[in-house]
Amino acid sequence: MKEPNQYLADTLKALRKERGWSLNACARETGVSKAMLGQIERGESSPTVATLWKIAGGFHTSLSTFLEPVPEPHPGPLYRQTDALRRQPAGDGMLVAPLFPFEARFGFEMFELTLLPGYERLSDPHDRGVIEHVIVQGGEMELLLDGEWQRLGPGAAVRFHADRPHGYRNPGTEPAVFYNLIHYPGGS
């Protein structure tokens, strides 16, 4: 398996070329600077989760597309271990474990996300029809929906339309861990 930065670099370059985009066009579509995109493609930069989301949004694809390849289909169960998958892109305040990367046949991706104390992320709307499911596993966090922060504790579960602005934050002193299942309409 490739190193995460090399996989990201190769995937970004391949998708950009597949669409016939120059770095300028890619910057225009994603809202990420040409210089940053070039650094990512050369494996010189490890972007934050927020930057990865911007790139995924510009390509109208899933976040996990840039984190690891789709697992090969096989007849038996697919076992994943969060400790082996968890990483902290660019020293960001969010740890990401792609439990089940996006597969078109299922139409979703699922993450274990850990918000470190003090972390806040405001998310731009995803593509039309995208639905997120948040299930808090440990700690306490807040979820921004319809302009209001809502406190969520262990066991809380929320489903919402993610094609509107939303956000996540941890105002506490302990990490908050939650599962995030993101469903893409039509398996796109």
Side-chain angles (χ1 to χ4, degrees):
M1 186 175 225
K2 291 182 184 180
E3 285 294 316
N5 276 0
Q6 190 57 55
Y7 178 77
L8 169 60
D10 294 345
T11 302
L12 176 58
K13 190 180 300 183
L15 286 175
R16 186 173 63 77
K17 290 185 185 279
E18 180 181 293
R19 285 168 171 75
W21 291 354
S22 64
L23 279 174
N24 283 330
C26 189
R28 194 172 42 253
E29 293 295 324
T30 63
V32 176
S33 75
K34 176 182 170 182
M36 173 60 78
L37 291 167
Q39 289 173 357
I40 294 169
E41 281 193 7
R42 292 187 302 274
E44 297 170 357
S45 177
S46 177
T48 64
V49 173
T51 300
L52 285 174
W53 268 117
K54 283 183 167 186
I55 294 169
F59 279 95
H60 303 286
T61 192
S62 66
L63 175 65
S64 61
T65 296
F66 295 99
L67 298 176
E68 67 175 63
V70 174
E72 291 293 323
H74 52 73
L78 174 62
Y79 292 97
R80 310 277 286 171
Q81 183 62 41
T82 55
D83 290 342
L85 301 168
R86 195 178 295 118
R87 53 188 172 269
Q88 188 176 12
D92 202 13
M94 179 188 286
L95 305 174
V96 179
L99 294 173
F100 298 105
F102 178 78
E103 292 183 63
R105 65 188 173 136
F106 299 127
F108 74 89
E109 62 188 345
M110 184 173 182
F111 300 96
E112 179 210 66
L113 300 172
T114 303
L115 306 180
L116 299 179
Y119 180 79
E120 181 175 308
R121 182 174 170 281
L122 301 176
S123 179
D124 291 328
H126 300 304
D127 286 344
R128 189 167 187 253
V130 172
I131 303 287
E132 286 196 34
H133 306 75
V134 169
I135 304 107
V136 181
Q137 189 272 329
E140 292 192 356
M141 61 176 283
E142 293 181 351
L143 180 64
L144 178 66
L145 296 175
D146 299 322
E148 304 262 340
W149 286 102
Q150 301 172 27
R151 188 175 260 322
L152 303 174
V158 180
R159 178 176 55 209
F160 62 93
H161 293 276
D163 53 6
R164 306 187 291 225
H166 54 285
Y168 312 93
R169 73 179 177 193
N170 178 358
T173 58
E174 299 295 322
V177 179
F178 67 101
Y179 298 105
N180 187 223
L181 185 140
I182 304 171
H183 180 264
Y184 297 88
S188 59

